Amino acid sequence: MQSSINRHGLPPDPDELIAEGDPPFADAAEQTAREKADESLNALQHEVRLLNARIGVLREDAEAALKAKAASVDASAHVQLGEPWLKLAAAIGATFIAARLVRRLPLGVLLAGFAGHLSEARPR
């Protein structure tokens, strides 16, 4: 509260008696609904910006983790399987040779062998 005597040495007017920190008018203490909404909007926009920044960091971390995992899996595959192109070339070569051998066999021999397998597999 202000002192009970003003600078002129007279008692103050009761309207002038205001507690320290209180605004001089009761209307001045209250924010308008528009000001409250603006403050709330600004606070929410700030929170959204912070969340977007956090999401960006999480995305970068996830991408880095996926790239590291992919590199690890690739290196592991090379260790386990060897060079994949060499194995593919060997498989293609083996298929080519097997096809050449099958073409040279007479068709009757192939059908006879196949028929033998069918007669053994047929239920009695």
Side-chain angles (χ1 to χ4, degrees):
M1 298 264 310
Q2 293 179 349
S3 67
S4 58
I5 297 179
N6 65 15
R7 59 185 162 146
H8 302 294
L10 300 172
D13 186 2
D15 290 336
E16 293 178 3
L17 292 175
I18 301 169
E20 288 183 29
D22 287 345
F25 303 104
D27 295 344
E30 297 179 20
Q31 290 180 326
T32 65
R34 175 80 176 178
E35 290 171 340
K36 287 181 183 178
D38 286 343
E39 281 185 17
S40 180
L41 178 64
N42 289 337
L44 288 174
Q45 287 174 339
H46 180 70
E47 288 293 322
V48 167
R49 285 192 298 271
L50 287 176
L51 290 173
N52 281 334
R54 289 180 185 161
I55 288 172
V57 169
L58 290 174
R59 279 186 183 148
E60 290 172 0
D61 289 348
E63 287 176 9
L66 286 175
K67 287 179 183 175
K69 183 67 176 174
S72 171
V73 167
D74 186 49
S76 176
H78 279 283
V79 168
Q80 290 176 3
L81 302 174
E83 191 60 38
W85 295 111
L86 291 176
K87 290 195 174 201
L88 181 63
I92 291 172
T95 304
F96 178 77
I97 292 170
R100 286 283 186 162
L101 291 175
V102 168
R103 278 192 203 150
R104 289 187 179 172
L105 291 175
L107 187 59
V109 172
L110 286 177
L111 289 177
F114 185 67
H117 286 295
L118 281 179
S119 65
E120 289 177 12
R122 191 176 66 193
R124 295 182 183 187

